[in-house]
Amino acid sequence: MESKKAAILLADNFEEVEATVPYDLLNRAGVKTDLISVKNQKTVKGNVGMHYTDLMMMKDTDFDDYDCLIIPGGDGYVVFANDPHVLDLIKEFGTNPNKVLGAICAGASIPGKLGLYDGKNYTCVPGLNGEFGGNYEKVHAVMDGNIVTGISVGGAYQFALDLIKALVSDEKAAEIAASTCWVL
């Protein structure tokens, strides 16, 4: 079986935990995961000041090669919400049953505004939950079909494990949860 691939979009002031935890756990699960700069910068600075370097450039990325698109939160979500190419990618991944869309915290409000939660269960940071046409759950993470959502930093681990379930298997997610002591 060919290895799955995930793309995590980054823009200045993204929430580090919401990108780093999925990056780490997905790679442990055998999912090749790339960090991609939306603004095509070699370095992006996170919400609390960490610098991520040597990123892939969005302009050079063929998203058809990816099985999963991940949108972290933090103040950088405004960049995603105002970029037509990012919005098109979110719609593509969210409506294609053969792809997985992952969005967490403020980033998870964007698919809601695009109508992708209509008739679905989802979560996002409570302060940005809107009339998204679905069923909001105040839990760490929600998986409904091909869309995985996370509430915020505190839900990043469960969000990442749910992405592994969606991309690989429940068994692999359980293995990663045990090997990283999420489950004791």
Side-chain angles (χ1 to χ4, degrees), residues 17-18 21-22 24-25 28 104 140-141 152-164 173 176-183:
V17 171
E18 296 166 2
V21 171
D24 182 297
L25 296 186
R28 288 174 191 257
I104 185 168
H140 283 137
S152 189
V153 170
Y157 217 89
Q158 188 60 55
F159 172 70
L161 291 171
D162 283 356
L163 287 168
I164 293 168
I176 298 298
S179 71
T180 57
C181 297
W182 176 251
V183 176

Side-chain angles (χ1 to χ4, degrees), residues 163-174:
L163 287 168
I164 293 168
K165 288 177 186 177
L167 289 164
V168 184
S169 69
D170 290 353
E171 294 77 21
K172 181 54 88 172

Side-chain angles (χ1 to χ4, degrees), residues 63-85:
F63 287 93
D64 290 339
D65 293 340
Y66 289 89
D67 303 289
C68 178
L69 178 72
I70 300 168
I71 311 298
D75 295 335
Y77 93 99
V78 173
V79 173
F80 308 140
N82 290 306
D83 186 307
H85 186 182

